[in-house]
Amino acid sequence: MNVTRRDFLTAAGGLVAVSSLPSFAQDDPSFFGSRGSGHRIMLAYQHIDAGATSPFSILHISDTHLTAAYPEEGEGKMQAHHRRIRTFGGYQEAALRDSLAWAKRSADYVLHTGDLIDWQSEANFDLVRKYYGAEMFGTLGNHEFYTYLPDEVHTWKEPFKDRSWPLLKDVYPIGLRFSARTINGVNFVCLDDVFGTVQPDQVELFHAEAKKGLPIILCMHVPFFTPEIWRLRAKYRAPRNAKFREASLMPPVKGDYRRQQEDPVTRDFIAYLKQEKLLKGILAGHIHITVQDRFSPTAMEYVVGGNFLFHAQEVMFT
Ligand SMILES: [Fe+2]
């Protein structure tokens, strides 16, 4: 199919009103059989004073990591299914369903900041279609681009994504690389930074949004790392080295954080954002822990933990 640059930069998306969500069963009696209505998701509460014309709330989820595959998709996909379900536990779909049910009851909008699927499969894509329906919300994650087939080599560079654009465009009805939507006077800007970096055309589009003069909430998959968020990510990922004393040390800068420091476009964009007074907050995921830190004088960055562990954060905007 033919995907134009404009299509995947600006298609409508970003957030969805909970009123347009389908209704899902709020509990599956086969697990957590006795839990009550307050025990379905692990919730953090945040408040961003962005200057909204009237208050509203968003349920922010990220990193559901669905690992479904149909047997007819072949041995490679079934191996990935068996291998990765051991990483993410097998209750990811229930976590997503419970999160959406919670949102429908408790919040005004839902935002998903990527890694909804762990890798590309027909079964995973069918789940995306089932739960997001016609109105998609949020951003992609790095895992939206993976196949987990044995011959795949991850490059964490833009051309790696090229194979996937037509596929994802068919399944995810969002602006795949950039979208913006205003709610009660607050401009939510969603962008693809799934390998840690942003591209010049995205920066250009962001500046066009800033010209509107509205308060901005930046939504993306990979956080723009602060030293503290990077330190806590390292602590979480290396439990055997995570005693308090060692964990207080700054770990080596590598991966996404290093690319953010070394890529000139991303480095300059982050420097610009730090002095952009319209920026009132950043919502991100990817590192699977709920953590927040000050990003700039006007903006906190709120990272939400893995939805596969039933994590979510409810953000109130005033
Ligand atoms: Fe990720």
Side-chain angles (χ1 to χ4, degrees):
M1 65 169 288
N2 186 24
V3 182
T4 67
R5 173 178 173 276
R6 185 181 162 77
D7 278 344
F8 62 73
L9 284 172
T10 61
L15 294 158
V16 66
V18 295
S19 56
S20 66
L21 284 173
S23 291
F24 299 111
Q26 289 206 347
D27 210 356
D28 178 346
S30 68
F31 63 99
F32 297 147
S34 300
R35 66 185 175 157
S37 63
H39 302 94
R40 288 194 188 95
I41 55 176
M42 176 64 221
L43 203 60
Y45 285 100
Q46 319 290 1
H47 174 205
I48 299 179
D49 187 4
T53 52
S54 60
F56 61 97
S57 67
I58 286 177
L59 188 76
H60 173 207
I61 52 179
S62 197
D63 301 271
T64 309
H65 286 276
L66 297 167
T67 49
Y70 298 125
E72 55 270 28
E73 292 189 71
E75 186 57 25
K77 293 289 180 188
M78 288 311 289
Q79 279 173 5
H81 164 71
H82 291 306
R83 192 170 79 247
R84 297 295 286 177
I85 207 169
R86 292 171 61 196
T87 303
F88 293 105
Y91 288 115
Q92 304 100 303
E93 186 184 349
L96 176 64
R97 190 175 57 233
D98 284 2
S99 302
L100 296 178
W102 179 277
K104 200 167 175 63
R105 201 183 61 186
S106 309
D108 299 307
Y109 299 89
V110 181
L111 170 74
H112 196 294
T113 49
D115 287 358
L116 172 60
I117 62 171
D118 193 45
W119 35 272
Q120 297 168 0
S121 71
E122 283 309 316
N124 276 338
F125 287 156
D126 282 347
L127 289 173
V128 175
R129 292 186 185 100
K130 172 180 174 181
Y131 286 104
Y132 291 167
E135 273 201 71
M136 174 61 187
F137 42 96
T139 69
L140 300 174
N142 49 314
H143 281 261
E144 262 79 22
F145 293 90
Y146 298 160
T147 66
Y148 270 82
L149 292 175
D151 59 346
E152 182 171 65
V153 179
H154 300 174
T155 67
W156 293 283
K157 291 196 169 70
E158 290 304 291
F160 179 85
K161 300 174 180 173
D162 287 347
R163 180 189 57 83
S164 300
W165 291 126
L167 212 53
L168 297 174
K169 179 69 186 160
D170 265 356
V171 178
Y172 289 75
I174 60 169
L176 297 184
R177 293 190 55 230
F178 189 97
S179 64
R181 174 173 176 181
T182 301
I183 299 172
N184 296 1
V186 180
N187 192 1
F188 289 82
V189 177
C190 299
L191 58 79
D192 154 28
D193 74 332
V194 306
F195 296 149
T197 53
V198 296
Q199 305 305 309
D201 55 339
Q202 294 172 305
V203 174
E204 199 182 304
L205 286 162
F206 187 94
H207 287 312
E209 291 300 323
K211 281 208 179 79
K212 294 177 181 170
L214 296 170
I216 291 174
I217 304 296
L218 179 58
C219 309
M220 55 195 185
H221 183 61
V222 178
F224 282 155
F225 285 98
T226 66
E228 180 68 356
I229 292 175
W230 183 252
R231 186 183 71 77
L232 292 170
R233 171 198 170 277
K235 181 178 190 298
Y236 177 66
R237 289 168 69 101
R240 275 173 294 189
N241 297 323
K243 300 288 186 197
F244 183 81
R245 198 174 35 192
E246 291 89 338
S248 68
L249 300 173
M250 184 62 191
V253 170
K254 55 186 183 179
D256 296 317
Y257 194 15
R258 185 167 182 163
R259 285 191 287 277
Q260 287 174 3
Q261 293 182 3
E262 291 182 347
D263 175 65
V265 173
T266 308
R267 196 177 54 214
D268 290 353
F269 183 55
I270 291 172
Y272 149 75
L273 283 178
K274 283 186 182 288
Q275 52 78 52
E276 174 53 79
K277 294 186 176 60
L278 292 172
L279 185 71
K280 302 300 183 190
I282 300 178
L283 300 174
H286 183 56
I287 60 175
H288 298 176
I289 53 173
T290 298
V291 60
Q292 57 271 309
D293 193 18
R294 180 151 293 285
F295 174 78
S296 74
T298 58
M300 290 288 288
E301 182 163 30
Y302 299 96
V303 183
V304 70
N307 186 228
F308 67 93
L309 290 170
F310 291 77
H311 276 250
Q313 65 185 1
E314 213 176 287
V315 190
M316 181 174 72
F317 291 88
T318 54

